[in-house]
Amino acid sequence: MHEEQTHREEHHLVPYAVYGWVWIALVACTTLTVAAKYADLQHLAIFAALLIATVKAGLVLLYFMHVRFEKPVVASHAEWCSRLTVDGTVRGGVTLTALACSRLHAAQAS
């Protein structure tokens, strides 16, 4: 049993301190999300929340799902997916911001 446990510990890729720092970063991102909701960002609040959520998802994907330490093929596929997610988030945020601005403009005009 002791050999099996030692064998498992030798193959642990990420130092436990890294998990602690990633957890602190996730908590900080959550705090930023809550602060963005209460800040007077108006139509940019949605974009900020989506951007922060993308960063949080990237941290979880890279560290807790160990994609950062995978073989290059898996890592490049994950990188492609994360770029696609970021692109979708930015496009969605821009679209939502444009819709919010147009509705605000229409409400002020009437």
Side-chain angles (χ1 to χ4, degrees):
M1 176 72 176
H2 185 266
E3 288 180 27
E4 183 179 313
Q5 185 178 5
T6 306
H7 182 68
R8 248 186 287 153
E9 289 174 2
E10 287 175 5
H11 291 288
H12 188 72
L13 297 173
V14 183
Y16 292 112
V18 172
Y19 287 129
W21 285 110
V22 171
W23 181 78
I24 289 170
L26 290 171
V27 169
C29 287
T30 302
T31 304
L32 282 173
T33 303
V34 173
K37 187 219 183 290
Y38 290 108
D40 190 25
L41 297 177
Q42 296 173 356
H43 54 278
L44 293 177
I46 294 172
F47 182 70
L50 287 172
L51 186 64
I52 294 168
T54 303
V55 170
K56 287 170 61 176
L59 286 172
V60 169
L61 178 75
L62 289 173
Y63 290 97
F64 291 115
M65 297 177 72
H66 300 279
V67 171
R68 182 168 186 232
F69 306 101
E70 287 292 331
K71 295 177 183 172
V73 172
V74 174
S76 66
H77 178 70
E79 181 183 349
W80 179 81
C81 288
S82 63
R83 286 184 185 198
L84 188 63
T85 302
V86 169
D87 183 54
T89 301
V90 169
R91 289 176 191 256
V94 168
T95 302
L96 289 173
T97 303
L99 287 172
C101 288
S102 67
R103 291 187 78 185
L104 181 64
H105 181 69
Q108 288 176 349
S110 56

